[in-house]
Amino acid sequence: MSVPHAPHTFGASTTAAEVIDGVDLHGRRAVVTGASSGIGVETARALAAAGADVTLAVRNTDAGAEVAARLEKELPPESGKLTVGRLDLADRSTVAAFVAAWQGPLHILVNNAGVMATPELTRTPDGQEWQFGVNHLGHFALATGLHRALAAADGARVVSVSSIGHLFSPVVFDDLDYRYRPYDSWTSYGQSKTANALFAVGAAERWADDGITANALMPGNVGDTSLARHMDMEQVAAFMASGELALPPQKTVEQGAATSVLLAASPTVEGITGRYFEDCAQAEPVAERAGAVSGVAPYAQSPENAARLWTVSDALVR
């Protein structure tokens, strides 16, 4: 693969199309979860435009089919093939079915789907708190289930979409499912996004000998997605006024997908693994949440936390 841009030309305003320009993914196969809306659509578009055959792994296959049909009309003729697969991350049986149906190598897995700020305590059919169950455990089951396919690709990349929201909470191992502490939609979201970051750390350690790299990312403040459907904007305003939450400048959906595409396909990050990115670059550590609009908390990059989470998650999805 080759790319005409130097790494330093990528930044906060870079779009997915700019990242993928000059990259050839013909012969590669990719899965993008949550590719029926938001940055998932733009991630799938960019990878397919570069020649990858992309499976849109979605809960609503009718919506996925509509997206695939639209993209096929918009993409150039030399683009990769688009297919749609059913995947409900809250329903372990659909994850198992998706894994069982997959044949052959998998070169790119983008764990993009997610829910945010679910207002009331809700549990998955397996009894896990909804945001942790969907955002982390569903993707954990998917990625580990597809491990053989990723290893067979000889240089596969796994991309885990996290968020600056991870600053709201570490993974609280003693009470993952809010059985003892009062439920809070934001600490719950934060815990799940920390888990997304720690998954990349754990996968990087365990799967290095298989040639698999794994990295996490913050896509940016992308307001125009279905992810924000549960957000209480008055609560967000109160957080910002109190200094408890600061948001980076808003991005378009095309800009929001750029870092995912960078980690999925760009030669500029070849061999990098176990890291956390934002604005198409590795994030700097942040010491405290108040006032932070960027960066990654040390607890979300801790190998010890990652190892513990892997063990716990593996037991929960069996």
Side-chain angles (χ1 to χ4, degrees):
M1 294 188 298
S2 62
V3 63
H5 301 292
H8 69 270
T9 63
F10 298 149
S13 62
T14 300
T15 65
E18 290 168 339
V19 169
I20 207 69
D21 184 31
V23 176
D24 183 4
L25 295 180
H26 287 90
R28 310 291 180 93
R29 304 169 75 204
V31 169
V32 181
T33 70
S36 60
S37 65
I39 65 173
V41 174
E42 295 309 313
T43 301
R45 180 200 302 275
L47 297 177
D53 292 333
V54 182
T55 298
L56 282 60
V58 297
R59 183 176 54 83
N60 184 335
T61 53
D62 289 340
E66 290 178 7
V67 169
R70 172 165 58 84
L71 291 180
E72 285 169 352
K73 292 178 180 179
E74 298 170 353
L75 287 165
E78 65 274 14
S79 299
K81 182 174 66 173
L82 294 170
T83 58
V84 178
R86 183 163 188 269
L87 181 74
D88 183 346
L89 292 166
D91 183 346
R92 205 72 48 75
S93 67
T94 73
V95 178
F98 187 94
V99 168
W102 188 267
Q103 300 292 322
L106 174 61
H107 303 85
I108 299 167
L109 172 61
V110 184
N111 291 333
N112 165 83
V115 292
M116 181 170 68
T118 308
E120 296 181 356
L121 176 60
T122 308
R123 301 195 187 281
T124 67
D126 294 299
Q128 271 73 54
E129 186 277 318
W130 189 263
Q131 294 189 80
F132 186 79
V134 171
N135 294 348
H136 169 63
L137 287 176
H139 279 128
F140 180 87
L142 177 68
T144 54
L146 291 171
H147 174 245
R148 286 187 182 180
L150 292 163
D154 188 23
R157 298 189 185 188
V158 179
V159 180
S160 185
V161 178
S162 181
S163 169
I164 194 173
H166 81 274
L167 297 179
F168 276 117
S169 179
V171 174
V172 181
F173 289 100
D174 290 332
D175 191 18
L176 295 172
D177 299 315
Y178 288 83
R179 298 189 185 277
Y180 301 98
R181 54 187 168 138
Y183 176 74
D184 178 84
S185 61
W186 288 106
T187 61
S188 168
Y189 179 67
Q191 173 176 253
S192 73
K193 293 291 107 178
T194 294
N196 290 152
L198 288 173
F199 169 76
V201 176
E205 172 68 23
R206 282 163 178 75
W207 296 348
D209 290 345
D210 299 312
I212 301 168
T213 60
N215 292 286
L217 70 118
M218 155 65 169
N221 176 17
V222 186
D224 188 21
T225 74
S226 62
L227 184 65
R229 63 186 178 275
H230 295 307
M231 286 182 66
D232 182 335
M233 297 314 296
E234 290 185 3
Q235 186 182 42
V236 171
F239 272 138
M240 295 184 70
S242 69
E244 285 294 299
L245 175 68
L247 293 176
Q250 196 163 46
K251 289 186 178 185
T252 66
V253 177
E254 293 80 6
Q255 291 168 337
T259 308
S260 292
V261 173
L262 178 93
L263 294 174
S266 175
T268 66
V269 295
E270 188 76 36
I272 295 175
T273 191
R275 309 296 176 84
Y276 179 99
F277 279 68
E278 60 191 0
D279 296 337
C280 295
Q282 290 187 48
E284 296 294 328
V286 60
E288 62 181 34
R289 185 177 78 197
V293 295
S294 62
V296 59
Y299 57 69
Q301 290 279 271
S302 162
E304 294 78 16
N305 288 347
R308 184 178 183 186
L309 178 64
W310 195 283
T311 300
V312 169
S313 302
D314 191 51
L316 288 172
V317 302
R318 284 188 185 278

